Amino acid sequence: MEKFLTLSAIAAPLLRDNIDTDVIIRIDRLVGGRPDELGKYAFELLRYLPDGGENPDFILNLKPYRRAQILLAGANFACGSSREPAVWALQQMGFRCVIAPSFGDIFFANCFQNGMLPIVLDRPTVEAIAAEVEADPEHGFVTVDLEKQTIVSPSGRKIRFEIEPARREALLAGLDEIGMTMSREAEIAAFQARDRNRRPWVYR
Amino acid sequence: MGRTLFDKIWHEHVVADLGNGVALMHVDLHLMHDLGGGPGLRTLAEKGYRVRNPELTFATADHAVSSAPGRTEDTNPVGGRLLRMLREASASNGIRMFDLGSDGQGIVHVIGPEMGLSLPGMTIVCGDSHTCTHGGVGALAFGIGSTELVHVLATQTLVQRKPRRMRVTMDGTPHAGVTPKDLILHLIGLAGAAAGSGFAVEYAGPAIRALGVEGRLTICNLSIELGAKIGMVAPDDATFEYLADRPMAPKGEMWDRAVTHWRRLNSDDDAEFDREVRFDADALAPQVTWGTSPEHVIAIDGRVPDPDGAGDAGRRASMRAALEYMALKPGAPLEGLPIERVFIGSCTNSRLSDLREAARVVKGAKVASRVRAWVVPGSTGVKRAAEAEGLDRIFRDAGFEWREPGCSLCVGANGEMVEPGARCVSTSNRNFVGRQGPGARTHLASPVTAAAAAIAGRLVDVRKLGMEPWKNS
């Protein structure tokens, strides 16, 4: 997995609540589609007009935000389906970090499997960062430092964020969770041996 | 201090405590479907791993198979490719699969309980967010992404953070025409679509106890729409009766031993929850969504809310966009709104009791000429049982299409979609933008409300039809 250390990039505000995973990537792009072509279909119903042309009103189509790598989002971002391609689609669009008041739980977990950093900040703080960005989008740079757990807003304001220690370490080191669990095979085998006596009906 | 139902099941599955509330958890049952199963097994092989416990892994095809009457696996060609990929990979890895035409084929969250695969106290995962459904039999069940899916295949475990615990208590007795779907939609409207984020939810109280298992499955199914990836109901005699003699349920002495174990799975009287929500079901009206989030829900006799009255900017923005997409105005009534499509199906509401209740509304009537109405049974087992009771005749005689089991119009992964701009009353779980097809306008509702809308050609209040109270098995 790709490491996440620090990131200094344009941030794009998309503050509407409840942006769901179906909006991030439609299921028909996952069925029979190519996993490396998800980026161009990310947010497709918002990003493109029915005739296939770009929607000039959609914020991620606006010039400075086309190079954004940080997404400032509304509450319950990426609620809905468990589809991990929602993370891949955002990554292929260039995003490496999403900052929101809350996330869909499954998307939140999927981010950490892919080197994407989801940060939870309260709504007024997310809105304040967005306001700073919107004041001068060409210079709307936000810096995220995972090691120090800080965000620096465009005006230079420093904001601390919380992240679970194990997930922080895994992102910093780019650790592979499956490999780590495989090293615990003896514990898994011992659990199953005990459990087979206690709950034999589970093992069919 | 007492322990919650969740705590008891969690504790039984900890393989290793990784500190800070993180644990390596054993997975008792892994269900796979056509969309994620084949690709997951391929990734596993590419990484050089093998399936650690194929006997704890089961597969079926639901997402991408056509629901057209007389379908074959290639009616939807892309679905056929995914199905064969899953079939071949399952066979070569020793995984049992419920293939097209067999009783166990169907929506993965319908067949789990129906086949007796999903049992109380089990940890159950599937690469689908509606895995929370299985909590209706008292299991700890949740959806996972594709990397976690490979993790489960390789290790039969998952690294999980212990969520906080929420209890939702539903008091009272719902009015006739008010169904389990209405109870859970009302809760999502009341608490919000992010209320359950970071929580495992336990549903309790007299209105839950009075429900049969299928109603509890419907309630737990929409936990993810409340923001919670886990929802559960403590198992009781109704659960045990429902599961007894199911094909994959334990038998004889093993069954007795299991039931003894399961009877301990409930929240202690002095168990504490991090959050409590309570409401009375007595006064509830049938619920219908007006917008593009399940929290955009009102009573059928209510009026579409005004975004200007909503609390904060994000919420107002979400509501405004929803009104525009749904072509509705603040203050407008939902009752009487003309509709073009009806979908009775999905892992929320496609079980036998759902079809029986909908059939009671449909019997002897005709689908309105402006409406195209579908019934998609949740599984081959449900379809055959419904046909044995003559339910298919009731639907067909009224002008419904009686189709083959799968996810179908809930998600459109098989190419079946609602036309742009058309209004669909759907018994499914998500009214997201474009969920049922680009431009499609979804109104989530119960099977009886959907059935009544098909007949009337518009949204109606089923309480006016003089219905009997909801029954389920």
Side-chain angles (χ1 to χ4, degrees):
Chain A
M1 190 180 75
E2 198 184 341
K3 292 179 188 180
F4 190 107
L5 300 168
T6 63
L7 174 65
S8 190
I10 296 269
L14 184 63
L15 295 186
R16 185 193 303 177
D17 287 357
N18 299 323
I19 297 269
D20 57 72
T21 48
D22 286 66
V23 163
I24 296 171
I25 188 76
R26 290 184 52 74
I27 202 155
D28 28 333
R29 302 303 177 189
L30 310 182
V31 184
R34 291 175 49 113
D36 56 349
E37 285 188 347
L38 298 169
K40 70 178 173 193
Y41 297 119
F43 299 108
E44 92 182 83
L45 292 182
L46 301 175
R47 200 164 145 201
Y48 305 108
L49 298 169
D51 68 4
E54 276 196 3
N55 175 2
D57 297 330
F58 183 55
I59 192 147
L60 300 183
N61 285 337
L62 303 185
K63 199 162 172 231
Y65 301 129
R66 297 176 88 95
R67 339 177 239 130
Q69 294 179 62
I70 298 168
L71 189 64
L72 301 167
N76 209 20
F77 181 74
C79 57
S81 126
S82 58
R83 64 189 68 161
E84 199 159 313
V87 179
W88 307 338
L90 289 173
Q91 286 179 318
Q92 288 175 27
M93 253 190 114
F95 291 107
R96 299 205 53 215
C97 173
V98 186
I99 303 173
S102 59
F103 290 88
D105 283 352
I106 304 176
F107 173 86
F108 192 74
N110 285 340
C111 283
F112 291 102
Q113 304 284 359
N114 291 280
M116 169 85 96
L117 175 60
I119 297 175
V120 176
L121 290 180
D122 60 56
R123 190 193 289 269
T125 307
V126 179
E127 286 177 358
I129 299 171
E132 286 186 31
V133 169
E134 284 168 333
D136 184 6
E138 290 290 345
H139 300 94
F141 281 84
V142 169
T143 301
V144 176
D145 186 328
L146 180 57
E147 176 87 57
K148 293 183 186 143
Q149 292 178 233
T150 56
I151 294 169
V152 180
S153 75
S155 71
R157 201 156 55 92
K158 195 176 270 190
I159 300 153
R160 184 171 167 82
F161 67 89
E162 297 304 320
I163 179 172
E164 193 189 302
R167 281 177 154 159
R168 176 172 162 273
E169 281 167 38
L171 275 183
L172 288 170
L175 294 177
D176 167 33
E177 199 169 78
I178 298 177
M180 291 193 293
T181 301
M182 293 293 272
S183 70
R184 293 182 175 269
E185 171 52 33
E187 287 168 85
I188 300 168
F191 174 92
Q192 286 192 341
R194 280 195 311 275
D195 198 39
R196 249 175 229 279
N197 285 324
R198 208 177 38 180
R199 300 184 310 140
W201 57 87
V202 168
Y203 297 85
R204 39 202 170 190
Chain B
M1 193 182 76
R3 293 187 305 159
T4 67
L5 165 64
F6 172 86
D7 290 307
K8 290 178 184 180
I9 301 178
W10 174 276
H11 180 75
E12 276 193 340
H13 290 85
V14 174
V15 172
D17 185 343
L18 306 179
N20 290 315
V22 182
L24 186 66
M25 305 291 298
H26 188 258
V27 172
D28 295 342
L29 175 64
H30 181 190
L31 300 169
M32 295 200 302
H33 56 71
D34 47 355
L35 221 53
L41 286 164
R42 186 175 59 195
T43 305
L44 183 83
E46 284 167 1
K47 286 180 180 281
Y49 299 131
R50 63 181 182 87
V51 181
R52 191 185 185 287
N53 288 95
E55 77 282 14
L56 305 184
T57 313
F58 292 83
T60 193
D62 56 7
H63 277 70
V65 293
S66 168
S67 75
R71 67 149 180 236
T72 67
E73 61 190 55
D74 286 313
T75 303
N76 176 31
V78 186
R81 284 205 294 279
L82 285 164
L83 173 56
R84 280 186 289 279
M85 188 177 170
L86 180 62
R87 182 186 292 143
E88 283 154 26
S90 293
S92 63
N93 285 285
I95 293 167
R96 281 167 280 185
M97 175 166 169
F98 300 105
D99 214 327
L100 283 198
S102 76
D103 248 7
Q105 182 272 327
I107 307 175
V108 65
H109 311 310
V110 173
I111 65 149
E114 181 182 84
M115 297 299 286
L117 287 167
S118 308
L119 300 172
M122 272 187 165
T123 45
I124 303 173
V125 302
C126 172
D128 188 281
S129 59
H130 289 107
T131 307
C132 50
T133 310
H134 307 257
V137 298
L140 198 174
F142 54 92
I144 55 176
S146 29
T147 307
E148 286 184 325
L149 187 154
V150 175
H151 190 287
V152 175
L153 287 172
T155 70
Q156 204 56 38
T157 63
L158 270 180
V159 177
Q160 288 292 298
R161 278 78 194 156
K162 194 172 188 175
R164 291 184 289 163
R165 273 77 79 203
M166 182 193 301
R167 178 164 57 191
V168 176
T169 306
M170 302 189 194
D171 294 311
T173 309
H175 190 280
V178 178
T179 75
K181 179 67 162 291
D182 301 298
L183 297 178
I184 188 67
L185 282 175
H186 173 72
L187 171 68
I188 295 165
L190 187 73
S197 179
F199 286 94
V201 178
E202 179 178 346
Y203 301 97
I208 294 292
R209 274 306 133 215
L211 290 177
V213 168
E214 297 191 351
R216 298 174 188 181
L217 294 167
T218 298
I219 299 268
C220 289
N221 175 269
L222 268 88
S223 299
I224 188 72
E225 267 49 74
L226 182 69
K229 74 174 184 180
I230 298 166
M232 55 211 308
V233 173
D236 59 12
D237 285 336
T239 319
F240 310 143
E241 276 167 37
Y242 180 87
L243 290 171
D245 303 321
R246 301 263 166 192
M248 298 301 294
K251 304 286 185 311
E253 196 188 329
M254 185 78 93
W255 169 261
D256 296 336
R257 207 175 145 187
V259 171
T260 304
H261 186 90
W262 296 339
R263 285 197 188 282
R264 293 196 293 266
L265 299 177
N266 49 38
S267 289
D268 297 327
D269 290 340
D270 57 344
E272 285 185 18
F273 291 81
D274 300 289
R275 187 173 174 197
E276 297 257 17
V277 177
R278 190 164 200 139
F279 70 88
D280 197 329
D282 277 336
L284 271 195
Q287 306 285 305
V288 180
T289 62
W290 57 266
T292 56
S293 161
E295 74 178 20
H296 295 157
V297 66
I298 55 174
I300 180 67
D301 55 0
R303 286 176 182 271
V304 174
D306 189 339
D308 288 344
D312 46 62
R315 202 174 151 80
R316 282 197 297 275
S318 155
M319 288 173 71
R320 281 202 191 96
L323 285 172
E324 190 186 335
Y325 183 79
M326 295 296 291
L328 290 171
K329 297 264 183 283
L334 285 184
E335 199 176 350
L337 192 66
I339 57 131
E340 286 80 34
R341 296 289 296 262
V342 165
F343 173 59
I344 297 175
S346 88
C347 56
T348 311
N349 280 130
S350 64
R351 298 179 182 82
L352 190 57
S353 54
D354 298 312
L355 304 190
R356 282 179 182 152
E357 292 295 314
R360 289 206 289 159
V361 175
V362 167
K363 194 168 187 174
K366 291 283 178 206
V367 171
S369 59
R370 61 177 288 121
V371 175
R372 189 172 176 203
W374 288 12
V375 180
V376 180
S379 69
T380 303
V382 169
K383 180 168 181 267
R384 287 177 180 160
E387 287 172 351
E389 294 182 12
L391 299 183
D392 61 318
R393 285 296 302 275
I394 294 174
F395 286 114
R396 275 196 245 253
D397 288 350
F400 276 83
E401 290 180 39
W402 178 254
R403 299 178 67 94
E404 295 291 332
C407 301
S408 182
L409 266 190
C410 172
V411 61
N414 63 351
E416 292 165 4
M417 292 187 194
V418 171
E419 303 71 23
R423 241 175 241 293
C424 180
V425 182
S426 178
T427 67
S428 55
N429 38 58
R430 289 186 176 141
N431 51 349
F432 296 165
V433 167
R435 170 81 174 185
Q436 293 192 295
R441 296 174 177 141
T442 303
H443 293 278
L444 301 177
S446 76
V448 290
T449 294
I455 304 302
R458 57 196 163 80
L459 282 168
V460 291
D461 186 341
V462 289
R463 291 174 302 178
K464 296 175 182 169
L465 305 180
M467 295 205 48
E468 290 170 46
W470 178 265
K471 282 186 219 142
N472 62 24
S473 51

